[in-house]
Amino acid sequence: MWTFIIGVAALIIGYFTYGKYIEKNFGPNPDRETPAEILRDGLDFVPMPKWKNAIIELLNIAGTGPVFGPIMGALYGPVAYIWIIFGCIFAGAVHDYMLGMVSLRNNGAQLPVLAGKYINKATMHVVNLFACLLLLLVGTVFVSSPAALIQSLLPAGVPLLLIIVLIFIYYLISTVLPIDQAMGKVYPWFGAILIISSIAIGLSLIFGDHTMVELTPATLDNFHPKGLAIFPGIFFTISCGAMSGFHATQAPMVSRTMENEREGRFTFYGMMIAEGVIAMIWVAASLALFDGQTLSGMIDAGTASAVVNAVSIELLGSFFGTIAIVGVIVLPLSSGLSAFRSLRIIVADYINVKQDTLPKIMAITIPIYVISFFLTFVDFNILWRYFNWANQVTAVLALLVTTRYLFLKGKNYFVTLVPGIFMLYAVVVYLLSEPIGFGLGLSNLAYWGGAAITLIILAVYWKQGVDQKAKLDPSAKLINDQLSIQTLYPDLVNDK
């Protein structure tokens, strides 16, 4: 019990301490006009109140990630708590805040555009590919997983395909509506269900007759029943709730509806902390109610949705347990919708098709949904595996973009560079070792080769950043006609 309570307390304290430092390091300007005010279009750029933006951000980033991921992460044992706490405070929440705020300073630009501006044009194309792949996988996963949960609540015989089609219809209608109607009207209700059900499960764990596994020297070990290594496995299994690149595709969308830069810490950093709390609850519940073999068997039988059902009913009873399951269902429904909406925006920006008429919106939206529909027939666990890899690659790219921003601005860039280096190494090792990559297994070649590749990438990245920094120095002799900081990056100057 105390591991869970202290962990949740640490997350909250992290928001008020390290979160405050991250905000100060960035330097929000409450007097600066936001994209919602400057570019208001009644579709994607619409001013909304702080509390509504925060709820939308939470539901957008949550999905089934902070539920399914921690359930599967619980197979490693109580060590999962450590990654959630430290990953959330020092990596995930920093990632979300910085990307959201840099987007805010750039008219709500999505990650590919920011990569093109602060790194180079070639990187923009790479990031665009990964962002589109990630969002397509996320959208598909967040059709399949809520469909399975909904089917479990309905009478036997209701076909899964029918539920999937109905979810796509809901997504299609919501995607073309203005954001304040598609999300602003419905999400507060979804948010209330999520928050209440999460609190109910957490309190039931604390005050119920359940033995919660504590993190001690004796339990600080790898308990995975299949013997999967903690590194890099757990950092890809528990992504949402600790560190997730998917969030880098969602924060820019919310940056287009914010009315004041001071809202950033609560909306971006704070909602990531809230997601971390949700992840802690589901790890604790999985460890308290099941042993590793039972948990593994339930996951292997389908998805983690079976665990969600069992936990909810066991802790809250049939009636309130069903409400809790509904609370989990709204997570992927909201995140799936936001994933497809973000994908539409990214594709439209990339091919330069302004989203100002219904035919233009549908011309991009319909093909996306057709591709996603066929992907729903692919095994969920395969989709999840590729989603995890693409997700963390996107997180690394977002951290490198925001590190470059801080570096050019003369701020403390180590706050994003350190987690960026760690996750870059994890991504490279994962690619070298896993079957979806080179299949080398967790050998010395994978670890040392990963270290060498990571260092080469960082050396190129650092050299390019130093060259960019030199161009911003008015006293430097530049090749291209003494370009000034105002010419290259006006937002780095005009933010006071």
Side-chain angles (χ1 to χ4, degrees), residues 1-13 85 214 280:
M1 179 194 306
W2 289 110
T3 300
F4 172 70
I5 293 174
I6 292 172
V8 171
L11 289 170
I12 296 171
I13 293 170
I85 296 168
E214 305 290 352
M280 290 285 290

Side-chain angles (χ1 to χ4, degrees), residues 111-437:
L111 179 58
V113 175
L114 297 175
K117 179 174 183 177
Y118 293 110
I119 300 183
N120 55 46
K121 295 298 181 184
T123 305
M124 178 185 73
H125 299 305
V126 174
V127 174
N128 193 78
L129 175 64
F130 273 103
C132 289
L133 174 63
L134 173 62
L135 288 169
L136 187 60
L137 289 174
V138 167
T140 304
V141 167
F142 291 165
V143 169
S144 301
S145 55
L149 286 168
I150 292 172
Q151 187 183 43
S152 70
L153 296 177
L154 297 176
V158 177
L160 184 65
L161 182 61
L162 174 62
I163 301 172
I164 289 174
V165 170
L166 291 175
I167 291 175
F168 271 117
I169 292 174
Y170 163 70
Y171 282 171
L172 180 62
I173 295 172
S174 299
T175 300
V176 300
L177 289 174
I179 191 168
D180 58 333
Q181 297 180 30
M183 298 181 181
K185 300 290 186 183
V186 180
Y187 276 30
W189 296 101
F190 282 1
I193 296 173
L194 165 64
I195 293 170
I196 293 172
S197 61
S198 298
I199 292 174
I201 291 175
L203 292 177
S204 179
L205 284 170
I206 294 173
F207 297 106
D209 186 21
H210 303 286
T211 302
M212 299 179 67
V213 182
E214 305 290 352
L215 181 62
T216 66
T219 61
L220 187 60
D221 201 355
N222 183 5
F223 292 94
H224 202 290
K226 296 181 180 179
L228 300 182
I230 291 177
F231 186 89
I234 199 170
F235 303 101
F236 290 82
T237 303
I238 304 178
S239 50
C240 294
M243 158 69 89
S244 173
F246 172 62
H247 300 185
T249 67
Q250 300 307 296
M253 186 164 58
V254 175
S255 76
R256 298 183 178 200
T257 61
M258 292 171 61
E259 297 177 311
N260 193 301
E261 287 193 354
R262 286 289 186 187
E263 299 174 14
R265 181 161 69 99
F266 181 73
T267 302
F268 298 127
Y269 197 101
M271 293 307 101
M272 181 61 210
I273 293 294
E275 188 183 73
V277 173
I278 295 172
M280 290 285 290
I281 289 171
W282 283 98
V283 167
S286 300
L287 291 174
L289 270 61
F290 309 103
D291 60 61
Q293 291 294 343
T294 302
L295 189 63
S296 179
M298 295 174 71
I299 294 171
D300 289 343
T303 69
S305 59
V307 181
V308 172
N309 289 359
V311 167
S312 301
I313 300 301
E314 172 70 21
L315 294 179
L316 302 179
S318 297
F319 178 75
F320 291 106
T322 301
I323 294 176
I325 295 171
V326 172
V328 174
I329 289 172
V330 302
L331 286 172
L333 285 177
S334 56
S335 290
L337 169 59
S338 64
F340 285 125
R341 193 180 187 100
S342 294
L343 182 54
R344 170 180 63 79
I345 293 171
I346 288 177
V347 172
D349 288 349
Y350 190 70
I351 63 177
N352 197 26
V353 175
K354 190 174 182 180
Q355 300 290 274
D356 54 356
T357 65
L358 184 60
K360 290 180 181 178
I361 295 172
M362 297 301 286
I364 295 176
T365 302
I366 295 297
I368 289 172
Y369 283 162
V370 170
I371 295 172
S372 178
F373 175 76
F374 285 105
L375 284 176
T376 60
F377 295 98
V378 177
D379 180 72
F380 174 88
N381 291 318
I382 294 176
L383 287 175
W384 187 266
R385 190 182 308 144
Y386 281 92
F387 155 71
N388 282 336
W389 179 71
N391 187 39
Q392 299 304 52
V393 171
T394 305
V396 170
L397 293 169
L399 286 168
L400 293 181
V401 168
T402 52
T403 296
R404 180 64 56 79
Y405 175 89
L406 292 172
F407 176 71
L408 294 174
K409 205 171 187 310
K411 299 285 189 177
N412 176 10
Y413 56 87
F414 287 101
V415 295
T416 49
L417 179 61
V418 171
I421 293 173
F422 177 80
M423 289 308 302
L424 174 60
Y425 178 58
V427 162
V428 174
V429 172
Y430 188 86
L431 182 61
L432 291 175
S433 61
E434 290 294 315
I436 68 170

